[in-house]
Amino acid sequence: MLITQMTSEECREILAKTGFGHLGCSHKNEPYVVPMHFAYEADYLYGFSTFGRKIEWMRANPIVCVEVDEVTGHSSWASVIINGRYQELPNTSQHSSERLHAFSLLEKRPLWWQTAQAAKEPRTKQPFPPIFYRIHIDAMTGHRAARDDDPAEYSKGFYR
Amino acid sequence: MLITQMTSEECREILAKTGFGHLGCSHKNEPYVVPMHFAYEADYLYGFSTFGRKIEWMRANPIVCVEVDEVTGHSSWASVIINGRYQELPNTSQHSSERLHAFSLLEKRPLWWQTAQAAKEPRTKQPFPPIFYRIHIDAMTGHRAARDDDPAEYSKGFYR
């Protein structure tokens, strides 16, 4: 397996193509990881959720990490790691344009609302207040792996 | 979409079947998320890595979170979230039996060593010292989603 570093453009292609990753947040130095559907544009990942531990923790500590991967085989994958910052887009006049922009990007993704909404369905029959947010990309690194011709070479001297 | 809570047994089935998840660790309240191949047995996920940020951070703060999902469609998935604790299995006489046990479990997984090893290959041609570790499962929750017959019902009153 040969691993190479991806360019910023290649990382952004993965973000635009997949729209799915794993979001990590932290509270009192305890990490929490959840799957995240997102819409990517420029320096932001736009997301949508109902209120829960993830939102509570990101409000308290906006420093987050998002890992996005595209796995096509054990020896063929790409992985992008983002260090970012949570920004909520509340339902106020000040944030209405960003909120509508987030909505317009997210609604292009099929069934994007289902997961967040369904999670609340068993608990209440009332419409829930949707929380829109975005993750500002502060830094991003990406690696891609491809199978090489002689993988056995790489096991030499492995378990000593 | 209908979401139901999984039993402990169902969670453990997912862990045994997938062997792949996303590990979150935290340092000075900054989260870090990486993909993780593992072998599951009893109350542990066994993993293998070379030295890097992940190991450095988990040595400093062993509290971790692992999310394991099995996605078969946008409306059909299972997700298990583990709160756990990092335990390194160093190459010492005291830990030799646990280390060999980890190795015996991990080597059953095809090409399990490739990712960790290949990551180091471009940097050095010397054999790297493998780091074996396990995550003790302190707590675990799981949810499963399945498509229901009338998904349109769930969009009522959504964007207000």
Side-chain angles (χ1 to χ4, degrees), chain A residues 20 58 83 96 141:
Chain A
F20 179 74
M58 292 194 294
N83 300 112
S96 66
T141 55

mmCIF file with all atom_site columns, all heavy atoms in Angstrom, chain A residues 20 58 83 96 141:
data_model
loop_
_atom_site.group_PDB
_atom_site.id
_atom_site.type_symbol
_atom_site.label_atom_id
_atom_site.label_alt_id
_atom_site.label_comp_id
_atom_site.label_asym_id
_atom_site.label_entity_id
_atom_site.label_seq_id
_atom_site.pdbx_PDB_ins_code
_atom_site.Cartn_x
_atom_site.Cartn_y
_atom_site.Cartn_z
_atom_site.occupancy
_atom_site.B_iso_or_equiv
_atom_site.pdbx_formal_charge
_atom_site.auth_seq_id
_atom_site.auth_comp_id
_atom_site.auth_asym_id
_atom_site.auth_atom_id
_atom_site.pdbx_PDB_model_num
ATOM 1  N N   . PHE A 1 20  ? -20.621 13.042 3.812  1.00 0.00 ? 20  PHE A N   1
ATOM 2  C CA  . PHE A 1 20  ? -20.819 12.234 5.022  1.00 0.00 ? 20  PHE A CA  1
ATOM 3  C C   . PHE A 1 20  ? -19.479 12.042 5.726  1.00 0.00 ? 20  PHE A C   1
ATOM 4  O O   . PHE A 1 20  ? -18.466 11.784 5.078  1.00 0.00 ? 20  PHE A O   1
ATOM 5  C CB  . PHE A 1 20  ? -21.406 10.867 4.651  1.00 0.00 ? 20  PHE A CB  1
ATOM 6  C CG  . PHE A 1 20  ? -21.626 9.957  5.825  1.00 0.00 ? 20  PHE A CG  1
ATOM 7  C CD1 . PHE A 1 20  ? -22.675 10.185 6.704  1.00 0.00 ? 20  PHE A CD1 1
ATOM 8  C CD2 . PHE A 1 20  ? -20.782 8.873  6.061  1.00 0.00 ? 20  PHE A CD2 1
ATOM 9  C CE1 . PHE A 1 20  ? -22.878 9.351  7.802  1.00 0.00 ? 20  PHE A CE1 1
ATOM 10 C CE2 . PHE A 1 20  ? -20.988 8.029  7.150  1.00 0.00 ? 20  PHE A CE2 1
ATOM 11 C CZ  . PHE A 1 20  ? -22.049 8.274  8.021  1.00 0.00 ? 20  PHE A CZ  1
ATOM 12 N N   . MET A 1 58  ? -20.982 21.194 21.695 1.00 0.00 ? 58  MET A N   1
ATOM 13 C CA  . MET A 1 58  ? -20.350 22.124 20.742 1.00 0.00 ? 58  MET A CA  1
ATOM 14 C C   . MET A 1 58  ? -20.658 23.576 21.100 1.00 0.00 ? 58  MET A C   1
ATOM 15 O O   . MET A 1 58  ? -19.864 24.466 20.805 1.00 0.00 ? 58  MET A O   1
ATOM 16 C CB  . MET A 1 58  ? -20.771 21.805 19.308 1.00 0.00 ? 58  MET A CB  1
ATOM 17 C CG  . MET A 1 58  ? -20.219 20.478 18.795 1.00 0.00 ? 58  MET A CG  1
ATOM 18 S SD  . MET A 1 58  ? -20.356 20.247 17.002 1.00 0.00 ? 58  MET A SD  1
ATOM 19 C CE  . MET A 1 58  ? -22.136 20.180 16.798 1.00 0.00 ? 58  MET A CE  1
ATOM 20 N N   . ASN A 1 83  ? -9.770  20.169 11.119 1.00 0.00 ? 83  ASN A N   1
ATOM 21 C CA  . ASN A 1 83  ? -9.870  20.856 12.415 1.00 0.00 ? 83  ASN A CA  1
ATOM 22 C C   . ASN A 1 83  ? -10.743 22.070 12.183 1.00 0.00 ? 83  ASN A C   1
ATOM 23 O O   . ASN A 1 83  ? -10.438 22.893 11.303 1.00 0.00 ? 83  ASN A O   1
ATOM 24 C CB  . ASN A 1 83  ? -8.491  21.299 12.900 1.00 0.00 ? 83  ASN A CB  1
ATOM 25 C CG  . ASN A 1 83  ? -7.551  20.112 13.063 1.00 0.00 ? 83  ASN A CG  1
ATOM 26 O OD1 . ASN A 1 83  ? -6.582  19.960 12.322 1.00 0.00 ? 83  ASN A OD1 1
ATOM 27 N ND2 . ASN A 1 83  ? -7.856  19.244 13.991 1.00 0.00 ? 83  ASN A ND2 1
ATOM 28 N N   . SER A 1 96  ? -30.526 35.109 9.562  1.00 0.00 ? 96  SER A N   1
ATOM 29 C CA  . SER A 1 96  ? -31.506 34.492 8.659  1.00 0.00 ? 96  SER A CA  1
ATOM 30 C C   . SER A 1 96  ? -30.926 34.171 7.286  1.00 0.00 ? 96  SER A C   1
ATOM 31 O O   . SER A 1 96  ? -31.246 33.141 6.701  1.00 0.00 ? 96  SER A O   1
ATOM 32 C CB  . SER A 1 96  ? -32.747 35.381 8.534  1.00 0.00 ? 96  SER A CB  1
ATOM 33 O OG  . SER A 1 96  ? -32.398 36.585 7.900  1.00 0.00 ? 96  SER A OG  1
ATOM 34 N N   . THR A 1 141 ? -6.128  18.195 6.381  1.00 0.00 ? 141 THR A N   1
ATOM 35 C CA  . THR A 1 141 ? -5.089  17.353 5.771  1.00 0.00 ? 141 THR A CA  1
ATOM 36 C C   . THR A 1 141 ? -5.771  16.123 5.180  1.00 0.00 ? 141 THR A C   1
ATOM 37 O O   . THR A 1 141 ? -6.813  15.680 5.672  1.00 0.00 ? 141 THR A O   1
ATOM 38 C CB  . THR A 1 141 ? -4.044  16.872 6.810  1.00 0.00 ? 141 THR A CB  1
ATOM 39 O OG1 . THR A 1 141 ? -4.738  16.210 7.879  1.00 0.00 ? 141 THR A OG1 1
ATOM 40 C CG2 . THR A 1 141 ? -3.240  18.031 7.369  1.00 0.00 ? 141 THR A CG2 1
#
